[in-house]
Amino acid sequence: MLDKLRQRIKELLENKTIGVFIGYEQGDNPELARPVMITSAEEVDKLIYDNTCLSMLSKYLLKPEVKASGRCGVIASYSNLRAIIGLLQEHQVTRDDVYIIAVSSGEKMPDYYDEIIDVGHSTHNVGRTTHDEMITDLLKKPPAERWAFWENEFKKCIRCYACRQICPLCYCNRCIADKNQPQWILTSPHLKGNFAWNVIRAYHLSGRCIDCGECERACPVNIPLMLLNKIIYNNIKTNFGYEAGFDPSVPPPLATYNPEDKENFII
Amino acid sequence: MNSFEPKIVAFLCNWCSYAGADLAGTSRLKYAPNIRIIKVPCTGRLDPVMLVKAFEVGADGVLVSGCHPNDCHYRTGNFLARRRWMIFKDMLEFVGIEPGRVHFSWVSAAEGGKFVEVVNKVTTEVKTLGPFKGLTS
Ligand code: SF4
Ligand code: SF4
Ligand code: FES
């Protein structure tokens, strides 16, 4: 599979279909491959693809230097592909900017790629099935216990913003967390600002989060951020029948409405 | 005997609910004095971070009120807001803020009476829950 991949990237670079390719190479960490950009056919031997290739690559597509290098080829795992679809939908990249080589590991891939390679082994969906169970368990508890649980989690936050930096759909040039006129989100690592930050981060990804799990993986203090993302994700799926990262042509659920939307909670 | 008097921040849209509150006043209707009204141009202007801020600075409950569906001065503000509210209130509930602290309503400029009912209902619910101590530490 790897030979085939390298050969194909070589061809694409040589025949100038793409100007740059973003994939993975072996880095210092044996458990986590390093993203790499290659611009010449000689470099293709660097490329690897195995289950250490976890990092999301879609964010590099937004870099001005990448955009300036011509059409960009990219390896897209299931989550990566959904992230790219999100970026297409939000007009951050155009279809002509990217050349998508999807790598399927069994999931049904959304139909937005230029080529597809089946690797047969799973990457990038590490243990995310437990979230729904945890949500159900938490919801059975009284509010005070839930608050105690989250207070304990939010208190740990050191406001490193790794969750934001890694998120493929967090791309604002100025994040609300960095604005100070007015300062909606207090910046010191204290329960108040941490509470605001964690719920607003999740909220800003409503209908946009593609369930990749990267924020939670990146969080150095292991806050179960996916629980917050999933409570919103499931809500949108149930009430608006929508999941992000499958179809760039439909309006995002919070940018539209249906006059008949549920309103039994409104007095 | 419950002597606790909650602080409730009420975000009212300029064109309907604020006028409804005004009507309640000019009609000399009496309602619970626990709300602090903040006028917003439209419910669509209300960023949920403002609800978080209200709790952060000491509110025990919040109320958001605007024009009935199809009556929004900007046509779609309340329709868009309705989706955000649903998502946001469910998340607040999930992290442990009791649903009785977070309320939404439609009150038109002609509904001074409804405004009174809403405020009284919200106040009673928040009173029953007691002070919000989650962010005081
Ligand atoms: S799972 Fe986390 S990192 Fe991935 S899209 Fe959702 S919020 Fe962003
Ligand atoms: S990655 Fe974790 S610790 Fe860092 S800002 Fe996000 S939630 Fe807080
Ligand atoms: S103007 Fe009242 S809700 Fe939009």
Side-chain angles (χ1 to χ4, degrees):
Chain A
M1 175 258 162
L2 194 54
D3 288 341
K4 221 171 91 191
L5 181 75
R6 288 175 177 163
Q7 184 53 36
R8 188 62 192 131
I9 309 306
K10 198 170 172 190
E11 284 164 21
L12 290 169
L13 283 165
E14 275 169 354
N15 69 20
K16 308 239 182 303
T17 306
I18 58 175
V20 54
F21 184 79
I22 307 178
Y24 301 92
E25 68 176 346
Q26 183 66 58
D28 301 330
N29 181 347
E31 284 164 28
L32 190 64
R34 180 162 64 197
V36 64
M37 283 174 215
I38 61 172
T39 47
S40 74
E42 290 80 68
E43 293 172 286
V44 295
D45 288 339
K46 281 186 188 171
L47 294 171
I48 60 165
Y49 196 79
D50 57 26
N51 51 15
T52 67
C53 297
L54 293 169
S55 314
M56 299 290 279
L57 302 177
S58 59
K59 237 177 165 171
Y60 298 104
L61 298 172
L62 304 175
K63 302 252 178 225
E65 51 280 33
V66 170
K67 287 195 170 177
S69 312
R71 193 168 189 189
C72 178
V74 62
I75 294 192
S77 66
Y78 177 69
S79 289
N80 249 310
L81 183 54
R82 286 183 66 186
I84 295 168
I85 290 172
L87 296 175
L88 288 168
Q89 183 185 30
E90 295 179 3
H91 307 289
Q92 298 305 306
V93 289
T94 66
R95 192 63 188 81
D96 295 337
D97 289 341
V98 282
Y99 190 92
I100 304 168
I101 301 191
V103 278
S104 149
S105 34
E107 304 97 339
K108 190 177 170 330
M109 301 294 266
D111 202 4
Y112 284 89
Y113 46 77
D114 296 283
E115 297 180 22
I116 187 159
I117 300 178
D118 198 333
V119 292
H121 65 79
S122 183
T123 60
H124 216 99
N125 41 12
V126 208
R128 261 174 291 138
T129 41
T130 53
H131 291 119
D132 289 340
E133 285 162 40
M134 274 183 82
I135 289 177
T136 320
D137 286 348
L138 271 170
L139 281 172
K140 280 188 204 134
K141 296 186 174 161
E145 275 180 47
R146 286 206 293 276
W147 181 265
F149 171 86
W150 283 109
E151 176 174 349
N152 185 39
E153 294 296 339
F154 293 154
K155 271 187 171 159
K156 299 192 300 197
C157 176
I158 54 169
R159 304 298 283 283
C160 63
Y161 302 126
C163 48
R164 171 187 79 187
Q165 297 312 110
I166 201 113
C167 175
L169 274 308
C170 260
Y171 54 72
C172 292
N173 287 333
R174 272 189 84 203
C175 175
I176 189 171
D178 298 329
K179 289 183 187 159
N180 52 14
Q181 287 274 352
Q183 187 172 64
W184 287 109
I185 304 201
L186 302 175
T187 47
S188 37
H190 175 279
L191 180 63
K192 278 189 185 177
N194 292 359
F195 168 67
W197 163 244
N198 282 280
V199 297
I200 295 298
R201 185 204 61 79
Y203 170 71
H204 280 188
L205 286 143
S206 307
R208 308 175 58 239
C209 167
I210 48 100
D211 189 26
C212 66
E214 280 295 278
C215 46
E216 187 170 292
R217 186 175 69 80
C219 178
V221 295
N222 299 321
I223 300 175
L225 297 172
M226 283 310 286
L227 298 180
L228 296 175
N229 297 332
K230 286 295 267 191
I231 199 95
I232 297 176
Y233 189 101
N234 295 345
N235 196 337
I236 290 182
K237 190 172 164 185
T238 313
N239 288 295
F240 311 135
Y242 179 90
E243 288 182 90
F246 288 107
D247 186 354
S249 66
V250 299
L254 289 204
T256 183
Y257 64 88
N258 179 339
E260 306 308 320
D261 280 338
K262 167 172 150 183
E263 63 164 26
N264 56 6
F265 62 94
I266 300 175
I267 314 172
Chain B
M1 221 358 246
N2 186 350
S3 63
F4 162 62
E5 290 298 340
K7 289 195 193 82
I8 296 163
V9 179
F11 297 92
L12 309 183
C13 111
N14 181 37
W15 301 99
C16 288
S17 297
Y18 193 87
D22 219 8
L23 181 64
T26 48
S27 317
R28 304 197 164 267
L29 302 175
K30 282 200 183 344
Y31 56 85
N34 302 65
I35 59 164
R36 278 73 170 156
I37 294 176
I38 296 179
K39 183 160 78 172
V40 288
C42 170
T43 51
R45 166 63 183 97
L46 190 99
D47 184 328
V49 76
M50 296 170 179
L51 304 186
V52 171
K53 196 53 119 186
F55 283 115
E56 198 176 287
V57 298
D60 302 300
V62 293
L63 165 67
V64 182
S65 189
C67 314
H68 285 267
N70 293 314
D71 284 350
C72 172
H73 192 69
Y74 309 97
R75 292 181 54 238
T76 58
N78 53 2
F79 282 132
L80 293 165
R82 186 167 62 181
R83 289 197 160 192
R84 299 176 199 150
W85 296 347
M86 189 185 78
I87 286 161
F88 203 68
K89 88 171 171 48
D90 285 356
M91 181 168 53
L92 289 183
E93 185 175 346
F94 180 59
V95 299
I97 294 187
E98 299 92 336
R101 296 192 190 278
V102 186
H103 295 270
F104 304 92
S105 67
W106 307 134
V107 173
S108 79
E111 293 177 319
K114 180 170 179 191
F115 183 76
V116 170
E117 279 168 34
V118 169
V119 171
N120 288 343
K121 177 180 152 64
V122 171
T123 308
T124 315
E125 283 198 30
V126 180
K127 227 178 202 177
T128 322
L129 288 168
F132 176 66
K133 297 206 188 95
L135 293 173
T136 45
S137 63

